[in-house]
Amino acid sequence: MADNWLDRIKWTADGLVPAIAQDAGTGRVLMMAWMNRESLRRTAECGEAVYWSRSRKELWHKGETSGHTQKIKSIRLDCDHDVLLLEIEQIGGIACHTGRQSCFFEEWRDGEWVVTDPVLKDPREMYGG
């Protein structure tokens, strides 16, 4: 596969683009992560989400450690060409490293952040403790 399709994306100065992972079945936003050219190329090739970890400065195949991979259903590019939307099937139903379905589990209510989603699996079980 030629890489010219990657040139359509407006990468940040650091060579990254934000990628939003959305459950293809429910439409719920599960997480946001960063991708670089290599991670997006690998995602397209293998059919599973591969991100760029800014903290570790390395490619991160989602679910490699936890087993909660993300099967790609579609990859979409927004109108400004600077944000990706990954429609995915979340294997195991857990996208967040806290053991929740979504990383967006806190909601602003009456002047404070309220946790709205339960922990489905103890992170120590997923990553070792």
Side-chain angles (χ1 to χ4, degrees):
M1 178 185 318
D3 288 346
N4 57 347
W5 64 278
L6 295 167
D7 295 336
R8 184 146 177 142
I9 296 167
K10 292 181 184 171
W11 304 94
T12 67
D14 295 334
L16 302 174
V17 64
I20 299 165
Q22 179 183 41
D23 186 289
T26 67
R28 183 166 188 199
V29 173
L30 301 179
M31 58 176 278
M32 178 273 177
W34 295 93
M35 297 181 114
N36 63 11
R37 291 176 76 93
E38 182 63 18
S39 66
L40 182 52
R41 183 184 302 110
R42 288 192 187 191
T43 296
E45 288 172 357
C46 78
E48 292 186 352
V50 178
Y51 300 107
W52 175 255
S53 171
R54 294 183 305 166
S55 59
R56 296 189 311 267
K57 299 194 181 337
E58 64 184 17
L59 292 175
W60 156 43
H61 188 147
K62 177 70 174 158
E64 192 171 48
T65 305
S66 68
H68 299 129
T69 56
Q70 294 178 339
K71 301 280 186 196
I72 301 297
K73 299 299 182 183
S74 75
I75 300 172
R76 296 176 178 265
L77 183 60
D78 80 324
C79 59
D80 292 326
H81 298 174
D82 61 1
V83 178
L84 296 172
L85 177 64
L86 307 179
E87 293 179 312
I88 57 107
E89 175 189 352
Q90 180 63 59
I91 304 304
I94 297 172
C96 185
H97 74 280
T98 66
R100 292 176 173 87
Q101 178 188 28
S102 171
C103 293
F104 297 94
F105 60 86
E106 293 186 70
E107 184 176 347
W108 182 252
R109 292 185 189 164
D110 300 320
E112 63 183 357
W113 291 105
V114 177
V115 174
T116 58
D117 295 15
V119 172
L120 302 175
K121 189 172 187 179
D122 187 324
R124 291 173 292 199
E125 291 179 40
M126 295 189 302
Y127 304 107

